[in-house]
Amino acid sequence: KFSHELAGATATFLTMAYILAVNPRILADSGGPCVPDPPEEGGIFGANYEKCLEEIKRQYITATAIGSMVGCLIMGLFANLPIALAPGMGMNAYFTYSVVGWRGTGSVSFQAAVTAVMIEGAIFFVLAITGARYAIIRLIPEPVRIATPAAIGCFLAHLGLQTAEGIGVVVSDIATAVTLGACPEDRRTPIVAYDDTCANEGICVFSDAYTCDVLGGVMTSAMTWVGILGMMIIAIFLAYKSHLAFVFGIGLVTIISWPRGTAVTYFPDTEAGDARFEYFKQVVDIAPVNLLLTQFTKNLA
């Protein structure tokens, strides 16, 4: 039935739409092609560098949407399968935090890493069209093949429970790596890399990691409880075998987070909130991808 097809497509889009936020955010953390400001102006913490990162993030949104659209069209028109495709989570985090490094602080340049990804894509394309991919997959032990999707699912669940693009239940902890959080923004204590530069010069490398242990307020964040409400709604409708469970849960939470001036708004009365709202008001905006094109190099050392 067309109604079932429409419900399935809507639910699939809503459950995948988070990638439009998470993928650009993770890849932008690599610094992309942005050039750090002079040391006296802040380096990778300078105002111009931050502005470039924001532009890169918006261009990654466009690139992510285009890549997903092309993949879905090929899957539907040529493979005739009801499977939606989008940039995968996991490899983007490896690219950013293990290869290029946070804001380009790793041992491999962004240009070299992008070139390696292009070469990798060409190799996988050849393996796919020749059938060698299936032969390689058969060589992987069955327990590993079964465990891999489950591991990716756990990784995605962990992302959803964090604060960056999730509900903030899980936060960092020095002793146990992760712990219960969900404290309001004014009670978050950032966790920094306390090295010699941080101790002597006050220039500390930080990220979104924070703890709620210092100022308290565990499980008092209104945004966290709205997220939990959404999950409960989805669970209840799934128990009644509703095909629209994800649509109802995600849709309700999304609508609740739109109005400004509330404790759960995605657009707080801050500089960042104002920037989000101005971008949101455009309804449709296609950012160029000029900063992401031709970022290749012959030097892969």
Side-chain angles (χ1 to χ4, degrees):
K1 295 181 179 180
F2 177 76
S3 59
H4 289 175
E5 295 287 344
L6 181 61
T10 304
T12 300
F13 171 77
L14 291 176
T15 52
M16 287 178 57
Y18 77 96
I19 296 177
L20 291 172
V22 177
N23 188 54
R25 186 185 179 282
I26 291 176
L27 292 177
D29 274 353
S30 69
C34 296
V35 179
D37 294 353
E40 62 273 11
E41 296 181 12
I44 59 174
F45 303 103
N48 291 329
Y49 189 78
E50 293 283 355
K51 184 178 180 181
C52 179
L53 289 181
E54 189 63 31
E55 177 61 26
I56 280 292
K57 189 181 300 183
R58 294 187 179 184
Q59 294 198 15
Y60 271 127
I61 293 175
T62 301
T64 301
I66 293 175
S68 180
M69 179 189 71
V70 172
C72 290
L73 286 175
I74 292 175
M75 180 63 72
L77 296 176
F78 296 98
N80 196 27
L81 293 174
I83 299 175
L85 298 178
M89 299 292 104
M91 288 304 297
N92 52 5
Y94 175 76
F95 174 91
T96 294
Y97 304 115
S98 299
V99 180
V100 181
W102 185 73
R103 299 199 175 186
T105 55
S107 57
V108 180
S109 69
F110 173 78
Q111 289 75 12
V114 169
T115 304
V117 170
M118 182 189 67
I119 297 173
E120 173 202 29
I123 293 174
F124 271 94
F125 177 75
V126 173
L127 292 177
I129 63 175
T130 59
R133 171 174 166 268
Y134 294 100
I136 296 175
I137 291 176
R138 286 195 293 267
L139 295 176
I140 301 176
E142 184 177 0
V144 177
R145 295 203 303 268
I146 296 174
T148 299
I152 295 175
C154 290
F155 173 72
L156 295 178
H158 184 58
L159 286 179
L161 292 175
Q162 293 182 50
T163 302
E165 304 297 344
I167 62 177
V169 172
V170 173
V171 298
S172 300
D173 185 83
I174 297 176
T176 60
V178 294
T179 188
L180 196 64
C183 56
E185 193 169 355
D186 58 350
R187 291 181 175 270
R188 300 172 183 175
T189 303
I191 297 178
V192 302
Y194 193 72
D195 52 14
D196 291 338
T197 304
C198 182
N200 300 325
E201 302 178 20
I203 302 177
C204 307
V205 177
F206 65 95
S207 63
D208 293 324
Y210 66 88
T211 179
C212 300
D213 295 339
V214 179
L215 301 177
V218 175
M219 293 303 295
T220 60
S221 172
M223 297 183 70
T224 295
W225 285 107
V226 169
I228 294 175
L229 172 65
M231 289 193 295
M232 291 177 61
I233 292 173
I234 292 174
I236 292 172
F237 278 98
L238 283 176
Y240 282 94
K241 302 185 184 303
S242 172
H243 297 293
L244 298 174
F246 288 95
V247 176
F248 292 147
I250 298 175
L252 177 63
V253 171
T254 301
I255 294 174
I256 290 176
S257 66
W258 280 347
R260 305 195 73 177
T262 67
V264 297
T265 181
Y266 187 66
F267 312 108
D269 295 323
T270 62
E271 184 177 348
D274 292 339
R276 289 177 186 171
F277 191 66
E278 289 300 320
Y279 185 67
F280 174 76
K281 286 194 304 182
Q282 300 178 51
V283 182
V284 176
D285 179 67
I286 302 177
V289 293
N290 57 296
L291 296 178
L292 303 179
L293 298 176
T294 65
Q295 295 294 331
F296 304 114
T297 179
K298 295 181 180 179
N299 183 16
L300 299 180

